Amino acid sequence: MAYPFSQPQLVQHMKPPALPPYVTDLDTRVLALGSGNWMTLDNLYRGNLALGSNGSGKSSGVIKNLARAALGNLGAGVLVLTAKDDTKDWIAWCREAGRLDDLIIFDDKHHRIDFVDYASRNGAEGSKESANLTELLFKVSQATQRFRKHSSAGEAFWPMKGREFVDAAISIHNCAFGRVTIADIARTLEHAPRREHDLKAADFARENYAAHVLAKCHDDPVNPLPADDLRVLGNYFGHHFRLMDERTRSGVEAEVMGVLQPFMKGTARRLFASGITTVTPELLDAGAVIVFALPIHRFEEVSVIGQVIFKTLFQRYALRRKITSRSRPLALFVDECQYFMDHESDSLFQSTCRSNRIMTCYATQNLPLLIEHMGGQHPEHAVKAWIGNLANKFLCSQNCGYTNRWVVEELIGRGLRYQHGRTEGTSEQLSHGYSRGYGYSHTDGMQSSHSASGNSGRSRTTSRGQNASTTTTEVYEQMIQTGELASMLRTGGPATRWKVDALLHTDGRTFPHTGRSWTLCTFSQR
């Protein structure tokens, strides 16, 4: 069955503005969709998702063209997270846009970010920031567990108790020194008092690290806390944690060290907990293009850890920056996004992107992959809620039946279709007949007579006829069939002259050549 609309519309970039170096007007036309349609900056701020099987062209077609728009048309500060090694592509796109000087490649050699130290210095003050930093540490841990295929669907007793300790340790360090590191939290756990005798020992406050930090909170704090808060923190270390059942305390210590351990050795410590920071989200406001070059096939857990960290820091920075009519657009590109998702924060973040001038673009293969990695008690609902906040969905060739059914049944849905039929017929009738008769009579008598008669005849009849009828039936059915997403969308390469087809579904608009909120568009791989 052919598509119920005209030929695919070729997507083209609008002419980049000369001044200023980045776009601020929400009505700026960024991508031409053909037939007098386009996507504006406001459209892109509403979120973009590319779905397609391996080899469908979603990266080389859809992502490539959206990246060109962000770099060249918008002049955005761009953060790129990816499970693959896409560095060469982004170098080429930055060169094409004249932005090679803005490019920062975060690999395992040139850049660092001590995320705990950065977050403690640049976030909100007081207990709120302690809670945010604690949450960040456990988000990273949960992402690592999902990568290892360990289920983390529910909140267990140990993680909750572990969060209490980490939050308390961060709070006393922020108060005493105005900063905290992974090593500080680990050292506090090691030195936390166990016996009442420890508290009464004359040299305890002088030699014990935890006691030393608490003493500085009282005597010489960098960020003073209210007396009630200090009393609660002192009671936690001096009584609550100290008097905890030994089995419970051992569980808490194991949980906390499980969260901290990856950052205390090897590449993760060197990149994310060394005390050195060379790259921060603030650089994006100056027009930086930060590309994480830590592919999963080489760095495995370190790749997931680093990119979840920077995604979370980016989200928090983007939400707390002051927005004006002159704020530079920011863009977040996440390829193979299933590895870096969070079921709580990502949906909330996406719902605020438009008001905070943030363009997001996510790419993955199919819905089951997202559901598998999302986490939480109801991952399927979380995935659909997150996708619901992404207004523009670019659906490339797809061989996943679950995803295709979701597209045609839930996303596109049913509609009235008209089926036209015509019947034609021709008839011909031929008849032929022949008849012959003969009669004779004879009478003898007084008078003789003879008579005879005969007749013959032929007949032939021919008739011909022709008829035609046309019918139109109104049917309420699926607007697109499931198999079409796998068979009728071009996947690029020389056979298609480097063209990639995608079914674009968007919110709040109707495309004239389809009469619906979706259309077929074509992206060039060149």
Side-chain angles (χ1 to χ4, degrees):
M1 183 179 73
Y3 282 109
F5 43 82
S6 60
Q7 292 296 317
Q9 306 297 306
L10 181 64
V11 175
Q12 297 177 316
H13 303 106
M14 308 300 285
K15 183 178 179 180
L19 289 173
Y22 56 89
V23 170
T24 58
D25 185 358
L26 294 178
D27 294 326
T28 301
R29 299 176 182 181
V30 180
L31 291 176
L33 299 178
S35 300
N37 291 289
W38 51 80
M39 295 187 74
T40 65
L41 177 57
D42 185 60
N43 297 141
L44 295 180
Y45 278 157
R46 296 174 185 270
N48 307 277
L49 173 67
L51 273 176
S53 301
N54 282 330
S56 65
K58 65 179 182 296
S59 295
S60 60
V62 178
I63 299 298
K64 178 179 182 178
N65 283 273
L66 290 176
R68 284 173 166 175
L71 292 168
N73 297 71
L74 303 184
V78 181
L79 172 62
V80 182
L81 308 177
T82 176
K84 302 176 293 185
D85 189 0
D86 296 334
T87 306
K88 291 183 179 179
D89 292 335
W90 282 93
I91 290 175
W93 301 337
C94 285
R95 181 183 293 112
E96 177 185 305
R99 297 188 60 183
L100 271 179
D101 291 341
D102 296 332
L103 182 62
I104 298 173
I105 299 176
F106 193 107
D107 55 17
D108 62 328
K109 299 179 178 64
H110 300 102
H111 292 286
R112 307 283 185 271
I113 179 168
D114 190 318
F115 72 102
V116 172
D117 181 47
Y118 166 81
S120 65
R121 290 171 178 263
N122 293 277
E125 297 180 359
S127 60
K128 180 181 178 181
E129 178 53 33
S130 298
N132 287 341
L133 186 47
T134 301
E135 190 63 26
L136 172 57
L137 281 168
F138 280 88
K139 282 184 187 299
V140 173
S141 177
Q142 289 168 355
T144 305
Q145 291 176 15
R146 290 196 294 270
F147 179 74
R148 296 172 183 165
K149 307 298 183 185
H150 293 169
S151 175
S152 59
E155 290 287 2
F157 175 73
W158 300 131
M160 294 303 294
K161 290 295 184 181
R163 289 168 195 247
E164 287 180 4
F165 179 88
V166 172
D167 184 67
I170 292 172
S171 295
I172 62 174
H173 281 86
N174 277 336
C175 174
F177 307 111
R179 59 179 297 185
V180 63
T181 66
I182 292 287
D184 293 335
I185 301 172
R187 193 176 178 189
T188 303
L189 181 64
E190 178 186 355
H191 284 251
R194 287 184 173 273
R195 302 167 300 174
E196 186 176 0
H197 173 73
D198 293 337
L199 299 175
K200 296 179 179 180
D203 58 352
F204 179 74
R206 183 174 62 255
E207 297 180 357
N208 182 273
Y209 179 73
H212 167 68
V213 177
L214 283 168
K216 193 172 189 307
C217 287
H218 284 87
D219 301 334
D220 185 27
V222 173
N223 294 319
L225 288 175
D228 289 344
D229 290 354
L230 280 178
R231 183 166 57 253
V232 170
L233 290 170
N235 287 339
Y236 177 81
F237 288 102
H239 298 280
H240 179 69
F241 189 66
R242 180 178 65 82
L243 297 176
M244 194 176 289
D245 177 82
E246 188 61 34
R247 184 179 177 183
T248 302
R249 176 164 173 158
S250 297
V252 172
E253 291 174 343
E255 178 64 30
V256 172
M257 288 308 299
V259 172
L260 303 180
Q261 191 64 34
F263 303 102
M264 300 181 69
K265 59 181 181 180
T267 304
R269 184 201 65 78
R270 181 163 51 86
L271 295 181
F272 310 118
S274 64
I276 300 172
T277 296
T278 62
V279 177
T280 68
E282 282 83 355
L283 295 175
L284 297 170
D285 255 333
V289 180
I290 303 173
V291 178
F292 264 75
L294 300 173
I296 282 182
H297 71 273
R298 285 179 53 204
F299 293 92
E300 297 182 335
E301 292 180 7
V302 173
S303 174
V304 176
I305 287 171
Q307 299 192 66
V308 168
I309 286 172
F310 217 95
K311 178 172 74 74
T312 306
L313 294 180
F314 166 81
Q315 290 175 343
R316 292 181 179 177
Y317 167 72
L319 295 181
R320 72 172 181 262
R321 70 173 182 153
K322 184 178 180 180
I323 300 299
T324 69
S325 60
R326 302 292 299 167
S327 295
R328 180 189 290 270
L330 301 184
L332 173 65
F333 283 78
V334 189
D335 201 357
E336 299 295 338
C337 64
Q338 67 271 12
Y339 293 111
F340 316 118
M341 301 303 298
D342 179 77
H343 68 279
E344 294 177 344
S345 61
D346 287 317
S347 235
L348 177 61
F349 173 73
Q350 186 56 52
S351 67
T352 64
C353 282
R354 180 177 177 271
S355 59
N356 285 283
R357 304 292 194 267
I358 305 165
M359 169 188 171
T360 57
C361 184
Y362 300 89
T364 189
Q365 296 167 38
N366 52 56
L367 294 187
L369 269 179
L370 281 175
I371 293 170
E372 179 185 6
H373 288 85
M374 178 61 83
Q377 293 184 340
H378 304 287
E380 184 173 0
H381 295 166
V383 165
K384 290 184 177 181
W386 173 67
I387 289 178
N389 282 328
L390 298 168
N392 308 309
K393 302 169 183 68
F394 298 90
L395 309 165
C396 297
S397 180
Q398 181 63 251
N399 57 24
C400 171
Y402 180 94
T403 303
N404 284 341
R405 286 190 296 273
W406 170 77
V407 171
V408 302
E409 295 175 8
E410 297 187 29
L411 192 62
I412 303 298
R414 294 175 178 268
L416 289 177
R417 300 279 297 277
Y418 295 94
Q419 296 181 350
H420 302 285
R422 178 179 175 84
T423 60
E424 295 183 0
T426 301
S427 64
E428 181 174 338
Q429 184 175 0
L430 176 66
S431 62
H432 177 78
Y434 173 80
S435 65
R436 182 176 184 180
Y438 180 79
Y440 173 80
S441 66
H442 172 76
T443 305
D444 265 336
M446 297 291 293
Q447 197 171 9
S448 174
S449 66
H450 298 272
S451 65
S453 64
N455 61 75
S456 64
R458 296 175 183 272
S459 66
R460 179 171 180 170
T461 303
T462 303
S463 63
R464 292 182 176 88
Q466 186 173 5
N467 61 78
S469 63
T470 301
T471 60
T472 300
T473 305
E474 191 177 73
V475 181
Y476 190 71
E477 65 175 7
Q478 300 292 349
M479 299 299 294
I480 296 178
Q481 301 304 312
T482 304
E484 291 179 321
L485 294 180
S487 62
M488 297 188 68
L489 297 176
R490 293 177 292 180
T491 59
T496 64
R497 298 190 178 186
W498 312 101
K499 296 295 189 294
V500 173
D501 291 334
L503 184 68
L504 167 60
H505 182 280
T506 189
D507 297 337
R509 64 188 299 182
T510 300
F511 295 100
H513 51 289
T514 64
R516 304 285 175 176
S517 59
W518 45 267
T519 185
L520 188 66
C521 54
T522 297
F523 294 87
S524 174
Q525 292 179 309
R526 289 186 168 177

